[in-house]
Amino acid sequence: MVLIEQLLTKDEVVQFRHKLYQAPWIDGKGTAMGMAADVKQNAQADANHSDIQTLSNLLLSKLGNSPQVVSAALPNRIFPPCFNRYSQGETYGYHVDAAIMRMPNSHEVLRSDISMTTFLSEPDEYQGGELIISTEFGEQKVKLAAGDAVLYPSSSLHRVTPVTEGERLAAITWIQSLVSDSAMRDTLYQLDQSIQTLVNNPAIRREELDRLHHVYHNLIRQHSQV
Ligand code: NI
């Protein structure tokens, strides 16, 4: 699980929310597959609306420009982000995200390796509405500041607890990674984060950094599927 702070600035969050309030919303069940639809109660911004497509593309470019997202996810394909809203009493019970998704208006498919939620409401604007991710170390509860995002393996069971007061706005998307194995992806992420720290350390000799870069890129070469 990786947390990304301020993927969107507070100003960008205001712009997103402004557009989202004006957009048409539809029942979120329509985009859930199979058993997930039974436990899904929320609304989704109409993905066919031009303003929503603009927001989706804007968020997509923020993802591509975030060194931390690129390092953690090693994206190959990204599903156009969708926007959802949980009003009072709404919830999404335990489910796993579909493994294979058809890209909108395309014959291409995407294998969901990583699920991503970007929070668009501040935590004090609603009660409940925590994203609960079931991991091998137990349940992880995630409720982040507006503009912050979380990446987690799509293979994990997860749910959104009922919103008991207020409204929870978020963007969600799925990423097919160049490296499908989540343990390998995590190792590469740790290595890259270390390299980025060392790059800023004047005491580290250039040749040592080159050697680490070499190792990193050779590991990517060995483990990526393109
Ligand atoms: Ni989900």
Side-chain angles (χ1 to χ4, degrees):
M1 209 171 85
V2 176
L3 302 183
I4 314 284
E5 281 179 25
Q6 295 294 285
L7 176 67
L8 298 177
T9 65
K10 296 294 182 192
D11 281 349
E12 287 166 336
V13 168
V14 169
Q15 289 167 27
F16 271 70
R17 289 174 57 145
H18 181 71
K19 283 260 192 284
L20 286 171
Y21 282 128
Q22 295 170 340
W25 289 78
I26 56 174
D27 189 342
K29 275 194 202 300
T31 51
M33 297 225 280
M35 293 194 326
D38 298 343
V39 292
K40 188 179 188 187
Q41 294 165 0
N42 67 6
Q44 188 173 310
D46 185 356
N48 294 317
H49 193 272
S50 64
D51 279 358
I52 297 303
Q53 287 170 348
T54 304
L55 289 185
S56 187
N57 287 331
L58 215 60
L59 187 55
L60 212 49
S61 69
K62 297 294 286 191
L63 293 179
N65 289 325
S66 159
Q68 204 192 346
V69 171
V70 171
S71 172
L74 298 167
N76 182 355
R77 281 180 187 175
I78 306 180
F79 195 90
C82 314
F83 300 89
N84 62 30
R85 183 183 67 198
Y86 292 80
S87 304
Q88 203 171 328
E90 293 188 320
T91 181
Y92 197 168
Y94 263 128
H95 66 280
V96 277
D97 295 338
I100 301 292
M101 300 178 177
R102 187 165 293 282
M103 300 286 274
N105 311 315
S106 152
H107 295 294
E108 309 271 303
V109 294
L110 167 147
R111 181 193 63 233
S112 62
D113 295 318
I114 300 161
S115 301
M116 176 167 188
T117 298
T118 306
F119 289 76
L120 296 173
S121 299
E122 296 294 353
D124 61 2
E125 288 181 285
Y126 57 99
Q127 298 292 316
E130 286 105 355
L131 172 63
I132 308 277
I133 303 164
S134 177
T135 74
E136 56 182 312
F137 307 112
E139 288 192 333
Q140 298 277 327
K141 201 181 276 191
V142 186
K143 188 170 180 175
L144 304 177
D148 290 359
V150 58
L151 301 170
Y152 57 99
S154 299
S155 56
S156 61
L157 266 174
H158 54 275
R159 68 189 169 113
V160 176
T161 65
V163 168
T164 56
E165 214 183 294
E167 196 175 83
R168 174 196 193 269
L169 277 175
I172 50 168
T173 190
W174 298 270
I175 300 170
Q176 177 175 325
S177 178
L178 293 164
V179 176
S180 63
D181 182 72
S182 65
M184 190 63 214
R185 208 164 51 231
D186 185 54
T187 301
L188 288 165
Y189 177 57
Q190 304 295 336
L191 177 58
D192 186 46
Q193 294 298 105
S194 289
I195 293 172
Q196 295 316 317
T197 307
L198 293 175
V199 162
N200 296 314
N201 183 340
I204 304 293
R205 287 188 306 130
R206 174 66 198 251
E207 301 85 81
E208 295 300 329
L209 277 174
D210 282 347
R211 191 144 58 180
L212 276 176
H213 271 131
H214 187 72
V215 168
Y216 177 74
H217 286 282
N218 280 339
L219 284 171
I220 298 262
R221 207 167 272 122
Q222 286 162 27
H223 294 278
S224 61
Q225 301 142 330
V226 288

